[in-house]
Amino acid sequence: MIATANRLHTVEEYYFSRKLKEVNQLISNGKPIINMGIGSPDLPPHKLVIEAIQQSVLEVNAHMYQSYQGLIELRRGFSDFYKTNFNVDIDVASEVLPLMGSKEGIMHIAMTFLNEGDAVLVPNPGYPTYQSVSNLVGAKTILYDLKEENDWCPDFEALEKEDLSKVKLMWVCYPHMPTGTQANSILFEKLIAFGKRHHILIVNDNPYSMILNQQPLSILQVEGAKDIAIELNSLSKTYNMAGWRIGMVMGSSKNIEAILKVKSNMDSGMFFGLQKGAIEALKLNKEWFNELNEVYARRRDLIFLLCDKLKVTVNKNQVGMFVWAKLPIGILSEDFIEEILHEKNLFITPGNIFGTNGEGYVRFSLCVNEEKINEALSRF
């Protein structure tokens, strides 16, 4: 067997890739598993989005290679979305780049800005991919603590005491996954000031901005943010289009041009039909979000009841499509979820997969219909 690259020694198979094999095997064995583990929207896109992709496949140029920068109408749709929801001006020609999902963008950003030996600030707890891609490109990960007693926000006094001389990039994610913490303008202003003070690129991953969130924010709202920050966003959660793999990255023209150098060597443009569907989605108004969030709000209320039955505590002010819950003192996350999985046929996510500061917590997904949540409630 040919030896694999050394970079593979720095990462493991993604937790859900591994764990869902076990869960699916239990289902194959006849176990009535209810999966509250992953945030894969179970609701459909709007019917106009479906119609748009259906009609698009008959257009003359539908099946040709597409522009690396995407259709101008798609970039305009992203720009309009940011103007409408965040009052942020995005130049259609130079400050936005469509992505095949924002997860792709995480890798592109790492490849664009990080050299071997550079250091990266990664949140603990946080999305595991931030650390994985940093490892894959040979960068050094410096975990920074997010803790409940600090409202899951960075401790800037502690960060200033770190050796930041080699830090080139800082990953942040607000609304925060997995804790559901919403940012505020003060936090974003502090992040931008921190980035400028230490010449660190701040990357905010913002896919949960519109889910159960009454005050959507973008880090790009801060004056001068584009000088030192870029932002990722996605249609996956906002428009129930996770499998479509459509995201975007926004920032200064210089940074977007640099990311395009990587991306243009990795693919040959997004399928025309996907772009046409995305264009239609981005035209949807507040009514779409109101209806979507009504569904998630009902589900969240039921999950709160389930948390009561499981004797785990929650902060009911959290946003996004998950519920983050604290276990009783002394109970380990994986021990808890394994017992629930095998005794009650319910799969939830252990908090420790998001970092050591996630130990003692679990996460429930809202991507489960009310009937199944009620069934889970009946098992306790």
Side-chain angles (χ1 to χ4, degrees):
M1 177 179 173
I2 302 298
T4 58
N6 290 337
R7 69 178 61 90
L8 288 189
H9 300 158
T10 69
V11 296
E12 297 179 355
E13 183 182 5
Y14 191 50
Y15 172 81
F16 287 113
S17 173
R18 172 171 48 84
K19 192 63 179 180
L20 289 177
K21 293 175 186 176
E22 177 187 344
V23 171
N24 290 332
Q25 185 60 53
L26 289 172
I27 293 172
S28 297
N29 294 342
K31 297 290 186 180
I33 304 294
I34 297 174
N35 186 348
M36 293 185 183
I38 60 174
S40 180
D42 60 311
L43 298 168
H46 195 283
K47 65 178 182 179
L48 293 177
V49 175
I50 302 298
E51 291 172 1
I53 191 172
Q54 289 173 329
Q55 295 167 6
S56 72
V57 298
L58 300 177
E59 296 194 32
V60 175
N61 297 325
H63 306 288
M64 299 173 63
Y65 287 126
Q66 300 298 313
S67 165
Y68 295 108
Q69 294 176 282
L71 297 171
I72 184 67
E73 296 90 346
L74 177 58
R75 285 180 276 131
R76 186 175 294 117
F78 291 146
S79 177
D80 290 345
F81 176 86
Y82 261 68
K83 183 64 177 177
T84 299
N85 294 292
F86 306 115
N87 196 30
V88 170
D89 292 311
I90 301 293
D91 184 87
V92 173
S94 64
E95 293 184 338
V96 57
L97 180 65
L99 302 168
M100 294 180 186
S102 58
K103 190 173 185 179
E104 177 200 52
I106 295 170
M107 188 64 190
H108 288 342
I109 290 167
M111 294 180 69
T112 300
F113 295 102
L114 297 175
N115 292 314
E116 188 172 352
D118 286 338
V120 186
L121 290 170
V122 173
N124 175 18
Y127 187 32
T129 298
Y130 304 144
Q131 185 166 3
S132 298
V133 298
S134 301
N135 293 340
L136 284 169
V137 298
K140 176 188 176 183
T141 295
I142 299 176
L143 296 175
Y144 66 91
D145 288 328
L146 303 179
K147 295 185 177 181
E148 185 173 12
E149 54 264 34
N150 199 36
D151 296 325
W152 303 107
C153 291
D155 182 339
F156 288 97
E157 287 187 16
L159 280 172
E160 293 287 354
K161 295 176 182 177
E162 294 277 355
D163 178 4
L164 303 173
S165 59
K166 292 187 177 181
V167 175
K168 198 171 184 182
L169 188 149
M170 179 181 187
W171 291 105
V172 296
C173 173
Y174 290 97
H176 185 246
M177 199 291 295
T179 70
T181 300
Q182 169 61 306
N184 54 45
S185 58
I186 295 174
L187 172 58
F188 280 157
E189 287 168 2
K190 287 182 177 179
L191 283 165
I192 294 302
F194 177 77
K196 288 184 176 181
R197 188 160 55 249
H198 297 285
H199 199 60
I200 296 170
L201 181 67
I202 308 296
V203 186
N204 186 45
D205 192 10
N206 194 16
Y208 302 99
S209 52
M210 307 303 292
I211 306 300
L212 292 175
N213 187 6
Q214 297 300 313
Q215 295 181 311
L217 295 174
S218 163
I219 199 168
L220 300 180
Q221 289 173 277
V222 177
E223 185 176 357
K226 290 178 187 174
D227 296 337
I228 201 66
I230 54 182
E231 183 160 277
L232 290 161
N233 213 315
S234 169
L235 273 64
S236 294
K237 278 74 176 179
T238 307
Y239 295 106
N240 298 335
M241 297 166 67
W244 293 51
R245 308 312 304 135
I246 300 172
M248 61 278 208
V249 58
M250 290 137 299
S252 70
S253 57
K254 183 178 180 180
N255 285 336
I256 296 302
E257 182 181 3
I259 296 168
L260 179 59
K261 287 183 180 180
V262 172
K263 180 174 170 55
S264 62
N265 282 287
M266 302 296 288
D267 65 61
S268 296
M270 186 185 298
F271 175 55
F272 179 81
L274 295 177
Q275 295 189 67
K276 297 295 281 188
I279 291 165
E280 200 62 41
L282 290 161
K283 294 177 183 176
L284 296 173
N285 58 26
K286 291 290 186 182
E287 183 180 354
W288 164 260
F289 299 116
N290 291 339
E291 292 178 357
L292 181 66
N293 284 321
E294 284 175 6
V295 173
Y296 282 133
R298 291 195 299 270
R299 294 178 177 186
R300 185 173 61 180
D301 286 343
L302 290 173
I303 295 290
F304 286 161
L305 291 176
L306 181 59
C307 288
D308 288 341
K309 288 200 172 192
L310 291 171
K311 295 181 172 55
V312 298
T313 57
V314 297
N315 177 352
K316 294 188 176 181
N317 293 322
Q318 56 188 283
V319 302
M321 58 169 42
F322 303 103
V323 169
W324 181 250
K326 188 174 185 177
L327 298 172
I329 294 174
I331 297 179
L332 298 177
S333 300
E334 293 211 49
D335 290 346
F336 184 85
I337 73 109
E338 288 298 321
E339 180 179 346
I340 297 298
L341 175 61
H342 294 286
E343 293 189 6
K344 301 296 184 180
N345 295 311
L346 174 63
F347 174 53
I348 55 179
T349 304
N352 66 309
I353 72 163
F354 303 107
T356 56
N357 288 339
E359 182 56 82
Y361 296 84
V362 290
R363 192 193 73 175
F364 300 78
S365 169
L366 299 182
C367 300
V368 184
N369 65 41
E370 292 174 51
E371 181 181 359
K372 288 184 178 179
I373 301 174
N374 279 314
E375 168 61 22
L377 280 163
S378 72
R379 296 179 184 180
F380 296 89

